[in-house]
Amino acid sequence: MIHAIALALSTAFDMLWEVFWPLALGFILSAIVQTLVSRRTVERALGSDSPRSLGLATLFGAASSSCSYAAVAISRSLFRKGASFPAAIVFEFASTNLVFELGLILLILLGWSFVGAEFAGGLLMIVILALLFRWTLKPGMIEEARRQAERGRQGRMQGHADMDMSITEGPFLRRLFSGRGLTAISHNFWGDVTSVWTDIGLGLLIAGALAAWVPTAFWQSFFLTSHPVLSQVWGPLIGPVISLLSFVCSVGNVPLAAVLWNGGISFGGVIAFVFADLIIIPIIDIYRKYYGGRMALYLLVVSYGAMALAGLAIGLLFQGLGFVPSRHPATTLVAAPTLNYTSVLNVIFLVILAVLAWRFLRTGGLQMLRMMDAPAPDHRAHGTVDVRPGDGPSHHAHH
């Protein structure tokens, strides 16, 4: 038993070591974008469900980069402040499926073809979702959801949705390299990291345990690898279900995706699994609090349909184009850390993270973290949070 636990922990650490620097880089890039793009700009652009608004929602969502819980909270905040419901949900999906860190982790763990499929499939999924909304979402359901949203029931990361630490005055480079810019970047960075560290850790531990304890023969039987045609359909159908039951979201489910790929799930099944971080059971419960039980069930059904269809379509397309790699073990599941470029980059990024941590702690970062799971005390319909060098977060209401 001790040997089995040690093997699982060792496998989890090996994966963490391989993905540490790209994960840090992704979060830093995300923090920079959040520092330079105002949340109010996003709100003004998402007032309808036109193709233009949905396109902007996709672009802003991809730039915002959030953990799944924060994405859901920000989406509800945008909806309450005037964004259309379809645009708010599209923003939410883009902010967890079309982001820097997800692509980098997929690249390290699974390779270029999965990165391409994730982003192409993510765009396709958003198109499918938008069409399903147009065909099936009734105005009465939206009004019912808006009434429920206005009640202000809290979910996880609600305080994160109330914060806007962007800096919009002055030239780009001056904003980026100013003292206030460094403060905002450090706050955005550590706010994002602390919001997902549980999911990342849980994902690595589950992936390590599954890789160490579950025999390959079980996965191959479960994923119907002896029936090539049937497995292409079964993978995208069962992938989101596995994600729903795993309770792991955001980039934390990528290590699990690597284990499933090694076990024999289809290429499209991996993509559908990664998409499904927004239908895990805790998030469906948050949908119920935010929008009511009827809308929560509706979002579960249409989201699952969009994920499965996109995964199936992109899997068949990449198979036809010859982009699907031959079955092979992911090196991060079998290789221990060595002195190579990964180790050097990990050390460099540890130093960068230490600098950001120093700035974060010196400028009221801990106070900001305490606010992330609760709304700001004076939060109103258009409240935001501003961060200035040397100070903790200060609240401002914009009308």
Side-chain angles (χ1 to χ4, degrees):
M1 175 62 72
I2 294 177
H3 174 72
I5 293 174
L7 181 59
L9 292 174
S10 174
T11 303
F13 177 79
D14 292 346
M15 285 188 282
L16 174 61
W17 187 252
E18 288 294 325
V19 304
F20 179 79
W21 75 262
L23 192 61
L25 175 60
F27 278 118
I28 290 171
L29 292 174
S30 170
I32 291 172
V33 171
Q34 291 178 66
T35 297
L36 301 176
V37 178
S38 169
R39 185 79 52 77
R40 282 169 287 166
T41 301
V42 178
E43 293 165 6
R44 289 193 296 266
L46 308 186
S48 74
D49 58 356
S50 66
R52 179 178 182 278
S53 284
L54 296 181
L56 289 173
T58 301
L59 178 63
F60 286 132
S64 73
S65 183
S66 298
C67 85
S68 302
Y69 293 105
V72 173
I74 293 170
S75 175
R76 197 270 295 264
S77 178
L78 293 173
F79 179 50
R80 293 178 68 186
K81 295 176 183 179
S84 72
F85 188 80
I89 299 301
V90 164
F91 175 93
E92 174 187 315
F93 272 71
S95 68
T96 60
N97 290 297
L98 298 174
V99 293
F100 301 119
E101 57 267 31
L102 180 64
L104 288 170
I105 301 306
L106 281 169
L107 174 63
I108 296 300
L109 287 181
L110 290 167
W112 279 106
S113 57
F114 288 89
V115 179
E118 170 67 18
F119 284 93
L123 293 173
L124 177 60
M125 177 178 62
I126 285 173
V127 170
I128 294 172
L129 195 64
L131 291 174
L132 290 174
F133 283 152
R134 185 171 293 275
W135 294 335
T136 64
L137 184 57
K138 306 301 182 185
M141 293 176 63
I142 296 176
E143 287 307 311
E144 181 182 330
R146 188 176 297 280
R147 288 193 297 270
Q148 178 70 17
E150 292 298 337
R151 295 178 181 177
R153 297 187 65 183
Q154 305 304 316
R156 282 185 59 180
M157 305 302 297
Q158 186 57 47
H160 187 83
D162 297 331
M163 298 178 187
D164 186 353
M165 293 177 277
S166 60
I167 303 171
T168 57
E169 306 86 6
F172 174 85
L173 291 179
R174 184 180 300 173
R175 285 183 282 153
L176 181 61
F177 293 107
S178 66
R180 189 181 173 202
L182 178 59
T183 297
I185 290 170
S186 71
H187 282 242
N188 281 316
F189 175 84
W190 287 109
D192 285 347
V193 169
T194 55
S195 71
V196 300
W197 74 267
T198 301
D199 292 295
I200 293 173
L202 184 61
L204 288 168
L205 289 174
I206 293 175
L210 292 178
W213 301 344
V214 179
T216 302
F218 170 83
W219 291 123
Q220 291 177 341
S221 175
F222 183 72
F223 293 129
L224 308 179
T225 57
S226 59
H227 304 278
V229 176
L230 190 58
S231 68
Q232 296 296 317
V233 178
W234 175 242
L237 292 177
I238 196 62
V241 177
I242 297 173
S243 182
L244 184 151
L245 297 175
S246 74
F247 283 67
V248 178
C249 61
S250 191
V251 293
N253 64 0
V254 179
L256 286 174
V259 173
L260 298 180
W261 171 246
N262 280 6
I265 194 172
S266 69
F267 185 84
V270 171
I271 302 305
F273 171 83
V274 174
F275 287 156
D277 60 327
L278 286 171
I279 61 170
I280 63 172
I281 292 174
I283 285 181
I284 296 301
D285 186 55
I286 293 174
Y287 283 150
R288 180 187 61 81
K289 294 178 182 177
Y290 281 178
Y291 307 122
R294 183 184 180 196
M295 184 60 81
L297 180 59
Y298 173 81
L299 286 174
L300 172 61
V301 172
V302 297
S303 298
Y304 173 82
M307 294 162 183
L309 284 173
L312 176 61
I314 213 71
L316 293 175
L317 175 62
F318 273 54
Q319 186 76 43
L321 294 173
F323 293 162
V324 176
S326 58
R327 190 72 59 187
H328 61 84
T331 56
T332 48
L333 300 182
V334 296
T338 58
L339 182 58
N340 53 19
Y341 80 95
T342 296
S343 299
V344 173
L345 288 171
N346 281 347
V347 172
I348 292 172
F349 275 92
L350 279 170
V351 174
I352 295 173
L353 266 58
V355 172
L356 291 176
W358 172 81
R359 186 70 177 188
F360 176 78
L361 294 172
R362 288 283 301 269
T363 55
L366 294 179
Q367 179 187 349
M368 184 273 286
L369 288 184
R370 286 193 290 268
M371 296 162 55
M372 289 183 66
D373 275 320
D378 60 350
H379 171 64
R380 296 175 177 85
H382 297 278
T384 60
V385 175
D386 185 27
V387 174
R388 300 182 184 277
D391 300 315
S394 59
H395 308 286
H396 300 274
H398 300 272
H399 298 281

